[in-house]
Amino acid sequence: MSLLRLLPVLFMALLQSAQAQPTAYAGLIDRISGQVTARSASGNTFQPAAFSRVRDGDELNLGAGAEVQVVYFEGRKRESWQGPARFRVKAAGGEPLSGKVAASSEVKGAPTRVALAAAGNVQRIGGLTLRGGPTKIPDDEAVARARADYVEWIKTADPADILPELYMIGFLQERRDPDLLIPYVETMLKKQPDRPEVRALAEKLGVPPPAR
């Protein structure tokens, strides 16, 4: 086959390969309340939830009085949006489309972009499954590195920030070993004992939340 005939074949192969690649995760929804709807870059609608990841190009629409906090992996920052507002998720942060611009703060002590992204794996637990995908089961060496990251992270993280615990839970859940998860679930409950999403996640993981 001549080079001229081969070029269209190569072009179509490259195009199909590019289309097959999923859009990268850009952030994690840390908190959400009120009426919030979402649409992906491809136009599909989905229901956003606490502890679920969002992709580059997703659009979130907040009704009046609604609130959303998004942690961005690339910029290691947390944005707080209040409705009515609409914004598009980008790698470096939210792009405002309408309404009030978000307030932004640093995610203190986050070890790596990969570590932040791992926190989003908690969306795959039980009834909280949302836009998840297959993940690799961490070996003992990987678990040891994750624990070392966690220890350094909590030294500078805000005392009430549960993102370090979500990171460890999301990272360790593929091991299917409750003994590995329980210490981080209990710490998460101590930090935010009255938050409904935290209590629901603890119950899904088999750790009864304390009585109110």
Side-chain angles (χ1 to χ4, degrees):
M1 181 181 292
S2 69
L3 180 59
L4 288 177
R5 288 188 176 183
L6 185 60
L7 285 175
V9 177
L10 292 173
F11 174 78
M12 288 303 299
L14 289 171
L15 179 61
Q16 291 171 355
S17 176
Q19 291 173 337
Q21 295 297 322
T23 306
Y25 286 114
L28 167 70
I29 294 179
D30 188 21
R31 287 180 179 268
I32 186 170
S33 65
Q35 184 178 358
V36 182
T37 58
R39 183 178 63 181
S40 68
S42 60
N44 296 321
T45 59
F46 64 95
Q47 185 59 50
F51 314 142
S52 63
R53 287 177 289 191
V54 286
R55 293 187 173 102
D56 195 339
D58 287 348
E59 288 187 13
L60 274 71
N61 189 14
L62 287 68
E67 296 185 7
V68 172
Q69 285 187 2
V70 181
V71 176
Y72 288 91
F73 304 149
E74 192 69 37
R76 300 188 190 182
K77 66 178 181 179
R78 178 182 279 106
E79 288 184 349
S80 298
W81 294 83
Q82 293 185 338
R86 186 166 62 94
F87 69 96
R88 181 179 293 114
V89 174
K90 306 295 286 185
E95 175 187 355
L97 301 176
S98 66
K100 185 179 179 181
V101 176
S104 178
S105 61
E106 177 188 3
V107 178
K108 298 178 181 178
T112 62
R113 183 178 188 275
V114 173
L116 277 173
N121 286 341
V122 297
Q123 69 186 311
R124 300 180 59 247
I125 297 173
L128 297 180
T129 299
L130 181 66
R131 308 177 83 210
T135 56
K136 181 180 178 181
I137 298 176
D139 57 20
D140 290 344
E141 184 178 349
V143 170
R145 289 196 303 268
R147 283 175 169 159
D149 280 346
Y150 172 80
V151 169
E152 292 301 314
W153 191 346
I154 60 176
K155 287 179 181 178
T156 53
D158 292 331
D161 192 351
I162 63 171
L163 197 57
E165 286 71 42
L166 290 177
Y167 158 50
M168 290 302 298
I169 293 169
F171 186 79
L172 294 173
Q173 64 162 319
E174 296 298 330
R175 290 285 293 259
R176 301 291 192 269
D177 185 347
D179 291 338
L180 291 176
L181 294 175
I182 286 175
Y184 303 104
V185 179
E186 291 177 340
T187 300
M188 180 179 66
L189 282 168
K190 289 178 181 178
K191 288 184 175 182
Q192 298 185 15
D194 297 324
R195 184 175 170 189
E197 299 95 336
V198 170
R199 296 175 69 88
L201 178 57
E203 288 180 349
K204 291 288 185 183
L205 293 167
V207 181
R212 293 181 176 176

